[in-house]
């Protein structure tokens, strides 16, 4: 018999916290809406699995390991039984305190680490008998678009500048705009909604703390359905954004974030009472760590890249592709290992598969997971159990562009991920 529980804790940081997501320094000046940890605990009578979604742009693998160690100490859950996800909104911070100590107030960090353990415990304590159903629906209005383009001179660009838009030859791929949900129906307690959608939570901008449109999704779903707790997990979004520059659709800001949250929540509401019940005979969860030869392209440009980065970091008009490339080249000499680790996680909830990668995977990886798990309802998560940067496809490595030039991984990545995902999914 499946049991499911939910818990939520506020993790809003103090004002002045350094926000991440761009090649510039921003410090939080105020709070538009609170940041949260949302946890779903599951149990099949023998095994317990906890899914935690954090309103952070990312969590370093070292901090993930530390948090999971604390969860194991208190709750006895092994590393494979905890899925730790960051929703990746750009009006929050990256938790990498073990790598960069003193970046955030020590008192806040210690409380934050403890809250990860607390939210897991509270979700477990909230568990009660549940049934599981799933559903998916395309949004009524398109709000997610592939952000990579080929120009008429063959150049690949991400988020093209206005002067480049007339020279676009084609968009590279199409985002699916499909909202996928899990519904845990519980007697005597609020139902639990797990919502999954693919797009960069990079709409609000600025220096104010916010959960961006995923926060609006949660609030709208809970307000409209009433007796429901909602957790949001961002899907594979490495090449997906909210701007459709070809058709002049390039809105941003808090109100557009609200609009996106409303569109996604409306899809959830429309399918909530028509979801398909899923059999849950057992829970499965496993993490497998693969290693990819680190990208050393451009190593000979170390001195030049170091000078360029120091001179141009934070300057307006400097393309992220150039700074991303420089940052990676600097890392080759200063911090990059010979092989870069990438933990792949699969959770099986009976006829449902959750597939998580520790970075920003291109949307094709969601297609790959669904193809491998045929017959099962599949959701894919970015920034799961770590923050290892962009995870491009083999085609993207061949094409070039911002993500392929800045990633620490190399072109064999897609094949490795696909093979590892197949092994794990076949074990369910």
């Amino acid at each position: 018999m499946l049991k499911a529980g939910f818990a939520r804790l506020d993790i809003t940081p103090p004002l002045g916290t350094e926000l991440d997501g761009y090649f510039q320094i921003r410090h939080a000046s105020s709070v538009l809406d609170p940041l949260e940890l949302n946890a779903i605990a599951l149990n099949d009578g023998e095994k317990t699995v906890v899914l935690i979604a954090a309103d952070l742009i990312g969590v370093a693998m070292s901090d993930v390991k530390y948090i999971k160690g604390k969860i194991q100490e208190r709750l006895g859950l092994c590393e494979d039984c905890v899925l730790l996800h960051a929703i990746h909104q750009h009006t929050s911070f990256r938790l990498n305190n073990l790598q960069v100590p003193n970046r955030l107030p020590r008192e806040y960090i210690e409380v934050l680490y403890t809250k990860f353990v607390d939210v897991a415990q509270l979700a477990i304590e909230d568990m009660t008998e549940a049934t599981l159903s799933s559903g998916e629906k395309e949004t009524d209005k398109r709000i997610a678009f592939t952000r990579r383009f080929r120009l008429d001179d063959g150049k690949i660009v991400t988020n093209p500048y206005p002067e480049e838009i007339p020279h676009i030859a084609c968009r590279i791929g199409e985002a699916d705009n499909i909202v996928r949900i899990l519904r845990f129906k519980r007697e005597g307690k609020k139902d639990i909604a797990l919502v999954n959608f693919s797009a960069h939570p990079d709409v609000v901008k600025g220096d104010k703390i916010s959960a961006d449109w995923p926060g609006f999704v949660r609030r709208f779903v809970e307000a409209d359905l009433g007796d429901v707790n909602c957790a949001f997990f961002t899907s594979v979004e490495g090449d997906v954004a909210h701007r459709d520059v070809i058709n002049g659709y390039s809105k941003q800001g808090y109100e557009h974030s609200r609009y996106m949250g409303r569109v996604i929540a409306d899809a959830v509401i429309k399918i909530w009472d028509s979801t398909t019940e899923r059999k849950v005979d057992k829970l499965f969860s496993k993490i497998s760590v693969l290693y990819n030869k680190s990208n050393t392209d451009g190593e000979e440009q170390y001195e030049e890249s170091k000078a360029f980065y120091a001179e141009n970091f934070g300057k307006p008009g400097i393309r992220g592709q150039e700074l991303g490339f420089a940052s990676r080249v600097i890392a080759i000499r200063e911090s990059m290992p010979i092989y870069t680790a990438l933990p792949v996680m699969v959770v099986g909830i009976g006829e449902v598969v959750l597939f998580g990668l520790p970075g920003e995977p291109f949307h094709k990886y969601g297609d790959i997971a669904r193809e491998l798990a045929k017959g099962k309802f599949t959701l894919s998560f970015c920034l799961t159990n770590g923050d290892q940067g962009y995870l491009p496809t083999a085609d993207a490595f061949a094409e070039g562009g911002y993500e392929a030039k800045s990633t620490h991984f190399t072109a064999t990545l897609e094949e490795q991920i696909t093979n590892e995902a197949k092994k794990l999914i076949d074990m369910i």
Side-chain angles (χ1 to χ4, degrees), residues 134-145:
S134 65
E136 63 180 31
K137 184 185 184 305
E138 187 171 1
T139 55
D140 289 341
K141 297 182 179 179
R142 294 187 67 80
I143 55 174
F145 309 89

Side-chain angles (χ1 to χ4, degrees), residues 210-222:
S210 172
D212 212 308
W213 53 262
F216 279 114
V217 172
R218 296 191 301 249
R219 294 191 291 275
F220 284 141
V221 167
E222 292 179 355

Side-chain angles (χ1 to χ4, degrees), residues 10-133:
D10 188 305
I11 59 166
T12 307
L15 297 184
T17 293
E18 185 178 327
L19 306 179
D20 285 283
Y22 311 113
F23 291 103
Q24 58 183 265
I25 301 296
R26 294 174 297 149
H27 292 96
S29 65
S30 64
V31 178
L32 291 171
D33 46 78
L35 305 188
E36 300 173 346
L37 295 178
N38 287 277
I40 298 173
L42 304 171
N43 179 274
D44 63 359
E46 296 182 3
K47 185 183 185 73
T48 297
V49 176
V50 177
L51 319 172
I52 303 174
D55 288 351
L56 302 173
I57 193 169
V59 183
M61 286 178 57
S62 57
D63 290 69
V64 169
K65 184 176 180 63
Y66 181 81
I67 291 166
K68 288 192 176 190
K70 291 295 184 182
I71 290 174
Q72 184 166 15
E73 283 179 17
R74 189 194 297 181
L75 303 175
L77 294 181
C78 69
E79 181 179 354
D80 284 6
C81 292
V82 179
L83 185 154
L84 202 161
H85 166 78
I87 69 168
H88 194 61
Q89 87 281 29
H90 288 46
T91 39
S92 183
F93 62 93
R94 179 172 283 103
L95 180 54
N96 60 347
N97 197 63
L98 295 181
Q99 294 178 346
V100 189
N102 305 319
R103 186 164 179 263
L104 292 162
R106 180 177 177 181
E107 297 82 1
Y108 170 75
I109 286 295
E110 291 303 322
V111 171
L112 178 57
Y113 286 145
T114 301
K115 283 191 174 184
F116 274 97
V117 186
D118 289 347
V119 80
Q121 178 178 330
L122 292 170
I124 291 171
E125 291 175 351
D126 184 60
M127 289 193 302
T128 190
E129 290 185 5
T131 58
L132 172 63
S133 58

Side-chain angles (χ1 to χ4, degrees), residues 255-268:
E255 285 308 309
H256 189 63
S257 173
R258 183 195 306 272
Y259 169 76
M260 289 184 63
R262 182 70 269 171
V263 170
I264 295 168
D266 284 348
V268 175

